Amino acid sequence: MPKGVDSMDYKNIISHIDIDRSLDAIEHSSFNGIEDGHVFEFRSDIEAGNDSIELHLIKSSAYKEMLILNLKRGNGIYSDAWKEFLKEEQKTFGGSKIFYINDECSKLLVFALPNEMQSKLNMVVTRLNKINEKITRSNAKIKKENLDLYASKVRNKEADKKKDDIINFINQNLRV
């Protein structure tokens, strides 16, 4: 186990997913096919577990627009939890993916038919809001588990009193 980490360690809060709103962080352009250099970093997600109709639309260049959104780093890193949540919410009921995730989980790619980007973007934002609601619920559970762990450590006199008191104070008072 890494130094300072054990089964009785506190869990970190998961940062909410946010999109970098600066103009340079958003790329909107025409889609020129699967071999487009901008699409390369999303290729594994495009080809993995996608609906055959969706794959055909991409490979036949039926989509005419693409949008790449950069995600803002939470706590300086892109959370592994983000990738799990994003993968859960990226598909429609039919199995098509609404957006694609790069391997670092730092960007989202959206394809659209002509004049349909706004409605596709609406679906993406709706899904991100849903993910952030799940993160809020997960964070409430993490906070409760951290408080329970602190109470258990104090009760069993296993606490590194000063550090545990500091972490407990942060857990109870920092709003993230």
Side-chain angles (χ1 to χ4, degrees):
M1 277 187 196
K3 184 178 178 183
V5 176
D6 61 37
S7 61
M8 296 293 290
D9 207 354
Y10 298 96
K11 294 179 183 173
N12 287 312
I13 297 297
I14 303 167
S15 297
H16 286 88
I17 296 176
D18 195 6
I19 295 171
D20 188 336
R21 291 164 174 83
S22 60
L23 291 175
D24 292 340
I26 296 172
E27 184 178 333
H28 179 251
S29 62
S30 55
F31 175 58
N32 299 316
I34 193 82
E35 300 303 323
D36 186 316
H38 296 99
V39 177
F40 182 76
E41 66 184 306
F42 300 93
R43 189 130 188 201
S44 62
D45 192 38
I46 291 170
E47 294 175 345
N50 207 351
D51 177 74
S52 60
I53 296 169
E54 177 75 2
L55 274 174
H56 176 72
L57 289 171
I58 294 168
K59 290 181 178 180
S60 67
S61 299
Y63 288 122
K64 299 300 179 196
E65 290 182 79
M66 69 177 205
L67 176 66
I68 298 175
L69 303 169
N70 282 287
L71 300 178
K72 288 176 63 177
R73 291 178 185 232
N75 300 335
I77 58 167
Y78 299 108
S79 171
D80 289 335
W82 281 10
K83 190 165 242 176
E84 291 175 37
F85 285 127
L86 286 165
K87 288 213 176 280
E88 285 175 23
E89 293 297 332
Q90 80 181 131
K91 286 189 174 189
T92 65
F93 290 115
S96 297
K97 292 182 180 180
I98 298 169
F99 57 85
Y100 300 92
I101 311 161
N102 69 342
D103 290 337
E104 293 80 35
C105 199
S106 60
K107 296 178 183 179
L108 302 180
L109 169 67
V110 181
F111 291 125
L113 296 169
N115 303 314
E116 292 295 323
M117 186 56 78
Q118 191 67 34
S119 64
K120 201 80 175 271
L121 182 58
N122 183 47
M123 286 192 280
V124 172
V125 169
T126 299
R127 297 293 176 106
L128 293 178
N129 285 334
K130 189 174 178 182
I131 291 168
N132 282 336
E133 288 171 12
K134 287 181 181 181
I135 290 172
T136 297
R137 288 190 299 274
S138 292
N139 285 343
K141 183 179 175 187
I142 289 169
K143 284 181 180 182
K144 183 186 179 321
E145 289 172 358
N146 283 346
L147 290 172
D148 291 347
L149 178 59
Y150 175 75
S152 170
K153 283 183 167 190
V154 169
R155 189 172 45 252
N156 296 326
K157 298 184 179 16
E158 296 172 8
D160 178 349
K161 188 70 173 136
K162 201 66 166 163
K163 283 185 179 181
D164 281 297
D165 286 346
I166 291 168
I167 292 171
N168 186 53
F169 179 84
I170 293 168
N171 282 335
Q172 289 185 2
N173 296 295
L174 182 63
R175 292 182 189 102
V176 289

